[in-house]
Amino acid sequence: ALLRGIEHDVWVQLDGFARVKAMADEDMERSNDEKTSAVHFLRFELTADMRAALRSGAKVAIGIDHPAYQAQAGVDDATRAALVKDLAA
């Protein structure tokens, strides 16, 4: 219950750009006043400049800024390459 709404506090950031918050659970709500789901579906709307920077090798970080949980980490090269591939589709 302490993590309710956490899906709205996930972000991604490319070097040189502002953080982009996740768009969560667009198909259905997975949290309510009592709980949050163990699984959330997130997407991030990156601008054309962000996508170009990612393809050019910009470093990527991902994190969570929720009152009950904060974390952030860099994205490794294999994951960044997978993101680049996804954006090409």
Side-chain angles (χ1 to χ4, degrees), residues 11-86:
W11 53 265
V12 67
Q13 184 174 22
L14 282 75
D15 276 349
F17 293 92
R19 290 178 177 176
V20 176
K21 282 207 165 190
M23 301 184 85
D25 303 328
E26 294 174 297
D27 60 336
M28 63 184 285
E29 275 298 314
R30 289 182 169 78
S31 293
N32 61 35
D33 290 340
E34 298 173 5
K35 64 148 184 94
T36 189
S37 177
V39 175
H40 293 282
F41 296 93
L42 308 176
R43 73 178 175 90
F44 301 89
E45 287 192 358
L46 303 180
T47 66
D49 288 342
M50 290 174 177
R51 292 189 304 272
L54 184 62
R55 286 190 296 272
S56 294
K59 297 223 182 266
V60 182
I62 192 162
I64 301 171
D65 285 329
H66 186 273
Y69 185 79
Q70 297 85 44
Q72 73 178 50
V75 171
D76 64 33
D77 290 339
T79 302
R80 197 185 69 66
L83 292 171
V84 169
K85 186 177 176 182
D86 284 348

